[in-house]
Structure formats: C-alpha cells, structure tokens
Amino acid sequence: MGTHAPGAHGDPTSGHRASGVEDALSPRRVLSSETVYRGRIWDVRSDAFELADGAGTLQRDYIDHPGAVAILPMDEDGRILLLRQYRHPVGMDLWEIPAGLLDVEGEHALDAASRELAEEADLTASQWHILAEFFTSPGSSSEAIRIFLAQGLTEIPHADRHERTDEEAEIEFVWVELEDAVQAVLAGRLHNPSAVVAVLAADAARRRGYASLRPGDTPWPAHPAQR
C-alpha cells in the first residue's frame, strides 16, 4: 500500500483549516449564454465558457432560478413551527418550514421572508436573524436559499390572513421542540432541505446562545442575482 506525505493531495490535514474555509466568487469567461427553455417559474440556460484562457470550451445546461427564502419560526419557549405540504415531484407529504420564491422584482430577501411568514404561517416577527444560506443543487441549478430565524412572533388576525390555494390549502401546522426536530432529521424522518438545514443550524446556534447569528438585513453577495 502506498503512503502520502504530510500535506499531499488526499491528506485530510492539508489545505485550509476549518476556520479559514470560505466559498469564493470565481469569474470565468462566458462565451455564450442562451435560454433554451422558458418555464412558469424558472428557465433553463445553456452556457459556453472557459475555465482558463485556451483551456477549451465547456457547455453546461442549468436551471436559471430566482432563488428563495425560508423561515424557521421559533416561539418564546424555543419550539419551532413546521408545516406539512404535499410535494408532487417526490409524491410525499413533507414537513417543512415556511418558504417562498424571490420572484418579486427588487424585493429584499428580508421583506420576502416577512411576506412568506405571513402568507404561509399567519405570523409576523419582530426579530430576524440569518441561520444559513445554501445552494440547493449547484451542479444543475442557480437556486440560492437564505434561511431566517424569526422570533418575537405575533399571530395575524383571522380577518387579515392570506387565503391559501392549491397545495397550500392543505397545509397543516405543528409546534415541536427543537431537540425533537433534530432527532427527526438524524433518524431520516424529515427530508425537506430547507427544514433539515434550518433545524441543524438552529441547534448549533442554540449551543452558542444565538450570539453568532447575522442580522436579518445582512447583504447576500453569494446570490447569483445580487452580485
């Protein structure tokens, strides 16, 4: 069996230390970009680009997505709100958190999150922080999601609530202890990506007293449409 010298490729101790790991923008020369499919919510683009000058042309097709926000509502007792909704592509009822597309021109992510919290959970929040951000499938989609922690919750009066339609009309709610949600994730009982990331991020943040969380209005330069 071969051996690796310290710091060699494949050595887990090589490269950046955990404290210095950070994704970075990496502009490449785009030779052409074409919309090959226009959908109701997102399009499909085909780009030709070079990794480096003279390195040859690569062609990639991907979903051109507006991005989204998701919200983890947390009450004064530390419980979180989950909602159950049918998702046709996977043919399952999934326990999720409130979420929605960034499909309003010029709308700030925090404003979109506030709107979605009201429309999907009948709640407003006085305290907003960022739990996490992620790309859902960066090899095939430009979709970026920012997850907020919403606290200081107030119920919206029944007369002022948004009328939910289609799949949203079947939404059911449950308040659960954060630790129970963590166990559900680790046991493979929760599958929605925003819910999984939010639950685990909230658990990590709780261990630090939530002191490390960024304000809700922090800029979002990693979002492809906000660069």
Side-chain angles (χ1 to χ4, degrees), residues 16 18-26 133-135 138 221-223 227:
H16 294 285
S19 61
V21 172
E22 182 178 359
D23 296 334
L25 298 180
S26 183
E133 298 160 350
F134 68 102
F135 298 122
H223 191 300
R227 297 171 186 170

Side-chain angles (χ1 to χ4, degrees), residues 68-74 80-85 87 94-101 112-124 128 145-150 153 164 168 171-175 192-195 198:
V69 292
I71 309 97
L72 185 70
M74 179 177 287
I80 63 171
L81 181 68
L82 298 178
L83 56 88
R84 186 166 65 180
Q85 185 171 350
R87 293 301 186 181
L94 300 182
W95 285 105
E96 307 181 351
I97 58 177
L101 296 171
S114 179
R115 171 173 54 82
E116 291 296 339
L117 181 64
E119 292 181 358
E120 293 201 351
D122 306 320
L123 295 170
T124 61
W128 292 89
I145 294 183
R146 169 172 276 187
I147 302 177
F148 293 87
L149 176 66
L153 304 175
R164 292 186 282 271
E168 291 184 353
I171 284 179
E172 299 177 19
F173 302 98
V174 64
W175 287 95
N192 175 268
S194 295

Side-chain angles (χ1 to χ4, degrees), residues 35 37-47 61-70 87 99-104 134-138 140-146 193-194 220 222-227:
T35 300
Y37 170 79
R38 294 193 181 276
R40 186 174 62 88
I41 298 176
W42 51 70
D43 302 331
V44 175
R45 297 196 66 82
S46 182
D47 285 1
D61 299 341
Y62 61 95
I63 296 171
D64 188 12
H65 196 287
V69 292
R87 293 301 186 181
L101 296 171
L102 289 169
D103 55 358
V104 177
F134 68 102
F135 298 122
T136 54
S137 184
S140 60
S141 173
S142 65
E143 181 179 15
I145 294 183
R146 169 172 276 187
S194 295
W220 189 7
H223 191 300
Q226 298 186 24
R227 297 171 186 170

